[in-house]
Amino acid sequence: MDTRIYDVRGKDPEKAEEIREAAQMLKDGGIVAFPTETVYGLGAVALDAAAVAKIYEAKGRPTDNPMIVHIRDFAELEALTNKAGSEVELLAKAFWPGPLTIILPKKDLVPDITTGGLKTVAIRMPDSKVALELIRQVGKPLAAPSANISGRPSPTKGEHVEKDLAGRVHGIVIGEDCRVGIESTVLDMSDSIPIILRPGTITAEEIKGVLGREVLTGSDSEPGSPKSPGTKYTHYSPKAEMLILQGEKDLVFREIDKIKSQKAKLKIGIIDMGDKTTKEAAKVLFGELRKKDEENVDLIIAIAPRNQDSVGFALMNRMLKAAGNNFRLIEE
Ligand code: TXA
Ligand code: MG
């Protein structure tokens, strides 16, 4: 398949001819990748079952793993879901546009293929001018999982998408690098108790603050539960073995020297995020993991930020999955 590249970096999305063409491609039933503030998504018109089917095929994604539907105004959420009450309105006011995905019971017009056969649908309003303008010009919500081949890290730069999907999709809109770098917080509001199925940079504390009641954190305690189908699939793990170290700087580097001398034959790649804030680390993590795979290292040592905070929970969630839980806290 010929993949059209639409580079809109530095352009005004409202005026860019590239976005007009990409929108037309989506209206014609094509699949087109585009940037959001979290990671790049691979989009299709969410109500077009045939177009959505092409996403599963291009990604090699199991068809029971549902997609997030991207909207540009609150009225679209009401058109797609049932039971969006005052709490959902509060969440939208507080966090949209932004990296929060809300799960609600779906209306019949949402095709089963978009929701992986579930009776609920995941909705998000992305905080990206390019994404919002694309949705506006298509005039319909866009289903979009992360724009990587299944099992690879989510793409945070246009070049990551090109590497994974060129030749497999109709178009790729290339914008700025993703500001957040890890995927949105997924919050299930379809039941009586709100449950976070996937942690992100919008934290449980912030959501509790808005709702004024208890919020559970669910997915990782119940891997593969029917509530969060995504969690039962193997997540990205690099080709190399990966170890996470955390602790005081001198101690961590002493430990790395020790490992280097013990494993002199191994090509070791270091991802040093020790001095970064958790937000800065989240932004670069997936790109660094891709780089290390390209460098063909045998062992990746990732140094976690020393200053952990509530965003660190979402960052660690992605790091631990990549490392198969291979984590060491370095203490005196
Ligand atoms: O930041 C993001 O969320 C990015 C950008 C492109 O918006 N999208 C993204 O999509 O990460 P994806 O498909 O890679 O991850 C969506 C997650 C999966 O774990 C999926 O199982 C879950 O959301 N999900 C989607 N719909 C669901 C539903 N109805 N019930 C439970 N989980 C759902
Ligand atoms: Mg994904």
Side-chain angles (χ1 to χ4, degrees):
M1 186 188 295
D2 218 26
T3 301
R4 294 289 302 272
I5 303 294
Y6 300 113
D7 192 340
V8 298
R9 280 172 292 190
K11 293 187 180 158
D12 177 354
E14 280 174 38
K15 296 187 188 127
E17 178 62 20
E18 289 86 350
I19 295 204
R20 227 184 47 72
E21 282 179 32
Q24 190 57 51
M25 210 167 242
L26 286 160
K27 286 199 249 185
D28 292 342
I31 55 176
V32 176
F34 60 92
T36 81
E37 80 281 25
T38 56
V39 302
Y40 275 72
L42 175 58
V45 171
L47 302 183
D48 180 343
V52 171
K54 293 176 199 161
I55 295 182
Y56 286 105
E57 198 189 318
K59 278 184 58 100
R61 179 179 176 105
T63 48
D64 63 348
N65 193 359
M67 314 213 167
I68 295 174
V69 175
H70 297 68
I71 60 171
R72 64 176 296 279
D73 60 48
F74 193 77
E76 289 173 317
L77 176 139
E78 290 175 317
L80 298 169
T81 64
N82 293 315
K83 296 194 197 157
S86 56
E87 284 197 320
V88 171
E89 253 176 78
L90 282 177
L91 290 169
K93 278 214 177 84
F95 301 116
W96 281 357
L100 176 70
T101 295
I102 300 176
I103 293 174
L104 286 167
K106 79 174 186 75
K107 286 214 165 99
D108 287 342
L109 86 168
V110 182
D112 284 338
I113 191 165
T114 303
T115 63
L118 295 178
K119 294 292 161 219
T120 53
V121 61
I123 313 267
R124 172 166 119 76
M125 190 189 296
D127 185 19
S128 149
K129 287 213 172 78
V130 171
L132 290 172
E133 182 58 20
L134 190 63
I135 301 167
R136 191 186 72 78
Q137 292 194 23
V138 173
K140 290 173 190 150
L142 296 178
S146 51
N148 51 282
I149 296 274
S150 261
R152 301 261 298 144
S154 295
T156 53
K157 294 169 185 278
E159 67 200 61
H160 300 158
V161 183
E162 287 190 74
K163 188 126 213 186
D164 277 17
L165 296 180
R168 307 176 74 97
V169 300
H170 300 101
I172 300 174
V173 179
I174 298 186
E176 305 305 323
D177 295 351
C178 300
R179 167 170 65 73
V180 176
I182 60 173
E183 309 88 345
S184 61
T185 305
V186 176
L187 176 67
D188 188 351
M189 292 295 290
S190 69
D191 232 325
S192 50
I193 304 172
I195 306 176
I196 293 179
L197 300 179
R198 178 175 72 184
T201 57
I202 292 179
T203 64
E205 290 71 30
E206 289 176 284
I207 295 169
K208 273 181 212 164
V210 168
L211 296 181
R213 64 168 173 136
E214 196 59 27
V215 174
L216 301 181
T217 300
S219 67
D220 296 305
S221 51
E222 310 163 61
S225 82
K227 269 197 164 300
S228 51
T231 59
K232 76 168 176 269
Y233 296 106
T234 43
H235 280 71
Y236 173 68
S237 54
K239 284 178 260 166
E241 194 189 328
M242 177 168 163
L243 169 67
I244 304 164
L245 297 180
Q246 189 177 27
E248 203 261 308
K249 193 171 195 165
D250 292 345
L251 295 178
V252 164
F253 278 94
R254 209 182 302 159
E255 181 69 16
I256 289 175
D257 285 341
K258 207 167 90 192
I259 295 170
K260 278 184 173 161
S261 64
Q262 283 165 351
K263 306 193 171 186
K265 285 192 188 132
L266 292 192
K267 184 171 175 189
I268 297 178
I270 311 282
I271 302 177
D272 184 2
M273 302 183 293
D275 291 328
K276 291 192 189 305
T277 64
T278 53
K279 271 201 173 134
E280 288 165 351
K283 182 173 174 173
V284 299
L285 175 68
F286 288 148
E288 290 297 319
L289 290 173
R290 279 178 178 262
K291 251 190 237 163
K292 293 295 174 252
D293 261 354
E294 273 161 29
E295 290 165 13
N296 275 311
V297 303
D298 306 300
L299 172 64
I300 299 170
I301 301 179
I303 307 172
R306 264 178 293 286
N307 293 319
Q308 287 290 322
D309 53 23
S310 48
V311 171
F313 180 68
L315 173 72
M316 267 301 176
N317 168 275
R318 306 307 192 280
M319 289 179 75
L320 288 168
K321 278 184 176 151
N325 292 321
N326 193 11
F327 170 87
R328 230 182 281 162
L329 185 66
I330 309 296
E331 290 169 307
E332 212 67 85

